[in-house]
PDB file of all heavy atoms in Angstrom:
ATOM      1  N   GLN R1148     -81.626-190.296 111.517  1.00  0.00           N
ATOM      2  CA  GLN R1148     -81.486-189.295 112.560  1.00  0.00           C
ATOM      3  C   GLN R1148     -81.629-187.873 112.002  1.00  0.00           C
ATOM      4  O   GLN R1148     -82.258-187.023 112.626  1.00  0.00           O
ATOM      5  CB  GLN R1148     -80.141-189.468 113.256  1.00  0.00           C
ATOM      6  CG  GLN R1148     -80.043-190.726 114.110  1.00  0.00           C
ATOM      7  CD  GLN R1148     -78.632-190.987 114.600  1.00  0.00           C
ATOM      8  OE1 GLN R1148     -77.701-191.088 113.772  1.00  0.00           O
ATOM      9  NE2 GLN R1148     -78.475-191.146 115.896  1.00  0.00           N
ATOM     10  N   ASN R1149     -81.027-187.640 110.832  1.00  0.00           N
ATOM     11  CA  ASN R1149     -81.187-186.324 110.205  1.00  0.00           C
ATOM     12  C   ASN R1149     -82.644-186.066 109.833  1.00  0.00           C
ATOM     13  O   ASN R1149     -83.153-184.968 109.960  1.00  0.00           O
ATOM     14  CB  ASN R1149     -80.301-186.212 108.968  1.00  0.00           C
ATOM     15  CG  ASN R1149     -78.875-185.839 109.313  1.00  0.00           C
ATOM     16  OD1 ASN R1149     -78.647-185.130 110.280  1.00  0.00           O
ATOM     17  ND2 ASN R1149     -77.929-186.293 108.521  1.00  0.00           N
ATOM     18  N   GLY R1150     -83.315-187.109 109.342  1.00  0.00           N
ATOM     19  CA  GLY R1150     -84.719-186.964 109.014  1.00  0.00           C
ATOM     20  C   GLY R1150     -85.574-186.653 110.209  1.00  0.00           C
ATOM     21  O   GLY R1150     -86.487-185.827 110.134  1.00  0.00           O
ATOM     22  N   MET R1151     -85.269-187.261 111.343  1.00  0.00           N
ATOM     23  CA  MET R1151     -86.004-186.985 112.566  1.00  0.00           C
ATOM     24  C   MET R1151     -85.763-185.542 113.036  1.00  0.00           C
ATOM     25  O   MET R1151     -86.682-184.883 113.545  1.00  0.00           O
ATOM     26  CB  MET R1151     -85.593-187.971 113.660  1.00  0.00           C
ATOM     27  CG  MET R1151     -86.008-189.432 113.396  1.00  0.00           C
ATOM     28  SD  MET R1151     -87.796-189.643 113.357  1.00  0.00           S
ATOM     29  CE  MET R1151     -88.164-189.382 115.111  1.00  0.00           C
ATOM     30  N   LEU R1152     -84.553-185.057 112.872  1.00  0.00           N
ATOM     31  CA  LEU R1152     -84.250-183.676 113.272  1.00  0.00           C
ATOM     32  C   LEU R1152     -85.057-182.684 112.424  1.00  0.00           C
ATOM     33  O   LEU R1152     -85.711-181.788 112.972  1.00  0.00           O
ATOM     34  CB  LEU R1152     -82.750-183.412 113.103  1.00  0.00           C
ATOM     35  CG  LEU R1152     -82.316-181.953 113.329  1.00  0.00           C
ATOM     36  CD1 LEU R1152     -82.576-181.514 114.781  1.00  0.00           C
ATOM     37  CD2 LEU R1152     -80.836-181.780 112.971  1.00  0.00           C
ATOM     38  N   ILE R1153     -84.997-182.854 111.118  1.00  0.00           N
ATOM     39  CA  ILE R1153     -85.741-181.941 110.249  1.00  0.00           C
ATOM     40  C   ILE R1153     -87.237-182.070 110.484  1.00  0.00           C
ATOM     41  O   ILE R1153     -87.979-181.086 110.486  1.00  0.00           O
ATOM     42  CB  ILE R1153     -85.387-182.239 108.765  1.00  0.00           C
ATOM     43  CG1 ILE R1153     -83.907-181.989 108.517  1.00  0.00           C
ATOM     44  CG2 ILE R1153     -86.232-181.368 107.825  1.00  0.00           C
ATOM     45  CD1 ILE R1153     -83.428-182.416 107.137  1.00  0.00           C
ATOM     46  N   GLY R1154     -87.689-183.306 110.707  1.00  0.00           N
ATOM     47  CA  GLY R1154     -89.103-183.519 110.975  1.00  0.00           C
ATOM     48  C   GLY R1154     -89.565-182.841 112.261  1.00  0.00           C
ATOM     49  O   GLY R1154     -90.664-182.279 112.324  1.00  0.00           O
ATOM     50  N   SER R1155     -88.736-182.886 113.305  1.00  0.00           N
ATOM     51  CA  SER R1155     -89.103-182.248 114.581  1.00  0.00           C
ATOM     52  C   SER R1155     -89.207-180.727 114.412  1.00  0.00           C
ATOM     53  O   SER R1155     -90.074-180.094 115.018  1.00  0.00           O
ATOM     54  CB  SER R1155     -88.067-182.586 115.654  1.00  0.00           C
ATOM     55  OG  SER R1155     -86.806-182.026 115.357  1.00  0.00           O
ATOM     56  N   ILE R1156     -88.319-180.154 113.594  1.00  0.00           N
ATOM     57  CA  ILE R1156     -88.420-178.718 113.322  1.00  0.00           C
ATOM     58  C   ILE R1156     -89.759-178.439 112.623  1.00  0.00           C
ATOM     59  O   ILE R1156     -90.447-177.439 112.929  1.00  0.00           O
ATOM     60  CB  ILE R1156     -87.233-178.255 112.459  1.00  0.00           C
ATOM     61  CG1 ILE R1156     -85.928-178.347 113.252  1.00  0.00           C
ATOM     62  CG2 ILE R1156     -87.434-176.832 111.961  1.00  0.00           C
ATOM     63  CD1 ILE R1156     -84.680-178.041 112.446  1.00  0.00           C
ATOM     64  N   GLY R1157     -90.139-179.300 111.724  1.00  0.00           N
ATOM     65  CA  GLY R1157     -91.402-179.116 110.997  1.00  0.00           C
ATOM     66  C   GLY R1157     -92.621-179.210 111.931  1.00  0.00           C
ATOM     67  O   GLY R1157     -93.573-178.447 111.797  1.00  0.00           O
ATOM     68  N   ILE R1158     -92.566-180.157 112.888  1.00  0.00           N
ATOM     69  CA  ILE R1158     -93.695-180.317 113.812  1.00  0.00           C
ATOM     70  C   ILE R1158     -93.891-179.056 114.658  1.00  0.00           C
ATOM     71  O   ILE R1158     -94.993-178.519 114.791  1.00  0.00           O
ATOM     72  CB  ILE R1158     -93.453-181.544 114.733  1.00  0.00           C
ATOM     73  CG1 ILE R1158     -93.541-182.821 113.919  1.00  0.00           C
ATOM     74  CG2 ILE R1158     -94.446-181.567 115.877  1.00  0.00           C
ATOM     75  CD1 ILE R1158     -93.134-184.057 114.708  1.00  0.00           C
ATOM     76  N   VAL R1159     -92.808-178.572 115.239  1.00  0.00           N
ATOM     77  CA  VAL R1159     -92.896-177.358 116.065  1.00  0.00           C
ATOM     78  C   VAL R1159     -93.347-176.168 115.225  1.00  0.00           C
ATOM     79  O   VAL R1159     -94.169-175.347 115.654  1.00  0.00           O
ATOM     80  CB  VAL R1159     -91.540-177.073 116.758  1.00  0.00           C
ATOM     81  CG1 VAL R1159     -91.623-175.773 117.568  1.00  0.00           C
ATOM     82  CG2 VAL R1159     -91.148-178.226 117.648  1.00  0.00           C
ATOM     83  N   SER R1160     -92.806-176.068 114.015  1.00  0.00           N
ATOM     84  CA  SER R1160     -93.185-174.969 113.124  1.00  0.00           C
ATOM     85  C   SER R1160     -94.668-175.012 112.784  1.00  0.00           C
ATOM     86  O   SER R1160     -95.349-173.997 112.756  1.00  0.00           O
ATOM     87  CB  SER R1160     -92.352-175.009 111.846  1.00  0.00           C
ATOM     88  OG  SER R1160     -92.693-173.966 110.971  1.00  0.00           O
ATOM     89  N   ALA R1161     -95.195-176.234 112.536  1.00  0.00           N
ATOM     90  CA  ALA R1161     -96.610-176.366 112.194  1.00  0.00           C
ATOM     91  C   ALA R1161     -97.479-175.951 113.372  1.00  0.00           C
ATOM     92  O   ALA R1161     -98.508-175.252 113.197  1.00  0.00           O
ATOM     93  CB  ALA R1161     -96.924-177.809 111.805  1.00  0.00           C
ATOM     94  N   LEU R1162     -97.107-176.350 114.576  1.00  0.00           N
ATOM     95  CA  LEU R1162     -97.882-175.980 115.764  1.00  0.00           C
ATOM     96  C   LEU R1162     -97.874-174.467 115.980  1.00  0.00           C
ATOM     97  O   LEU R1162     -98.899-173.868 116.293  1.00  0.00           O
ATOM     98  CB  LEU R1162     -97.316-176.689 116.995  1.00  0.00           C
ATOM     99  CG  LEU R1162     -97.485-178.218 117.010  1.00  0.00           C
ATOM    100  CD1 LEU R1162     -96.740-178.814 118.209  1.00  0.00           C
ATOM    101  CD2 LEU R1162     -98.955-178.619 117.038  1.00  0.00           C
ATOM    102  N   LEU R1163     -96.718-173.853 115.781  1.00  0.00           N
ATOM    103  CA  LEU R1163     -96.614-172.409 115.944  1.00  0.00           C
ATOM    104  C   LEU R1163     -97.406-171.679 114.861  1.00  0.00           C
ATOM    105  O   LEU R1163     -98.093-170.677 115.141  1.00  0.00           O
ATOM    106  CB  LEU R1163     -95.152-171.977 115.892  1.00  0.00           C
ATOM    107  CG  LEU R1163     -94.291-172.358 117.101  1.00  0.00           C
ATOM    108  CD1 LEU R1163     -92.811-172.112 116.785  1.00  0.00           C
ATOM    109  CD2 LEU R1163     -94.709-171.566 118.322  1.00  0.00           C
ATOM    110  N   GLN R1164     -97.290-172.179 113.628  1.00  0.00           N
ATOM    111  CA  GLN R1164     -97.962-171.546 112.510  1.00  0.00           C
ATOM    112  C   GLN R1164     -99.474-171.556 112.690  1.00  0.00           C
ATOM    113  O   GLN R1164    -100.174-170.561 112.496  1.00  0.00           O
ATOM    114  CB  GLN R1164     -97.606-172.234 111.209  1.00  0.00           C
ATOM    115  CG  GLN R1164     -98.150-171.562 109.965  1.00  0.00           C
ATOM    116  CD  GLN R1164     -97.392-170.330 109.581  1.00  0.00           C
ATOM    117  OE1 GLN R1164     -96.179-170.341 109.477  1.00  0.00           O
ATOM    118  NE2 GLN R1164     -98.079-169.227 109.402  1.00  0.00           N
ATOM    119  N   GLY R1165    -100.011-172.720 113.041  1.00  0.00           N
ATOM    120  CA  GLY R1165    -101.454-172.845 113.177  1.00  0.00           C
ATOM    121  C   GLY R1165    -102.007-172.301 114.468  1.00  0.00           C
ATOM    122  O   GLY R1165    -103.138-171.809 114.503  1.00  0.00           O
ATOM    123  N   GLY R1166    -101.225-172.367 115.571  1.00  0.00           N
ATOM    124  CA  GLY R1166    -101.760-171.974 116.864  1.00  0.00           C
ATOM    125  C   GLY R1166    -101.424-170.560 117.290  1.00  0.00           C
ATOM    126  O   GLY R1166    -102.143-169.971 118.109  1.00  0.00           O
ATOM    127  N   TYR R1167    -100.339-169.991 116.763  1.00  0.00           N
ATOM    128  CA  TYR R1167     -99.905-168.672 117.235  1.00  0.00           C
ATOM    129  C   TYR R1167     -99.795-167.629 116.113  1.00  0.00           C
ATOM    130  O   TYR R1167    -100.392-166.559 116.197  1.00  0.00           O
ATOM    131  CB  TYR R1167     -98.561-168.802 117.960  1.00  0.00           C
ATOM    132  CG  TYR R1167     -97.888-167.467 118.223  1.00  0.00           C
ATOM    133  CD1 TYR R1167     -98.386-166.582 119.183  1.00  0.00           C
ATOM    134  CD2 TYR R1167     -96.759-167.082 117.511  1.00  0.00           C
ATOM    135  CE1 TYR R1167     -97.772-165.373 119.419  1.00  0.00           C
ATOM    136  CE2 TYR R1167     -96.117-165.870 117.750  1.00  0.00           C
ATOM    137  CZ  TYR R1167     -96.634-165.003 118.693  1.00  0.00           C
ATOM    138  OH  TYR R1167     -96.026-163.809 118.912  1.00  0.00           O
ATOM    139  N   VAL R1168     -99.058-167.964 115.078  1.00  0.00           N
ATOM    140  CA  VAL R1168     -98.700-166.962 114.071  1.00  0.00           C
ATOM    141  C   VAL R1168     -99.929-166.412 113.356  1.00  0.00           C
ATOM    142  O   VAL R1168    -100.084-165.204 113.166  1.00  0.00           O
ATOM    143  CB  VAL R1168     -97.706-167.539 113.046  1.00  0.00           C
ATOM    144  CG1 VAL R1168     -97.393-166.519 111.960  1.00  0.00           C
ATOM    145  CG2 VAL R1168     -96.420-167.967 113.753  1.00  0.00           C
TER     146      VAL R1168
END
Side-chain angles (χ1 to χ4, degrees):
Q1148 290 170 305
N1149 277 329
M1151 293 296 290
L1152 173 64
I1153 298 173
S1155 66
I1156 293 175
I1158 291 172
V1159 177
S1160 180
L1162 294 173
L1163 289 169
Q1164 185 76 52
Y1167 168 72
V1168 177

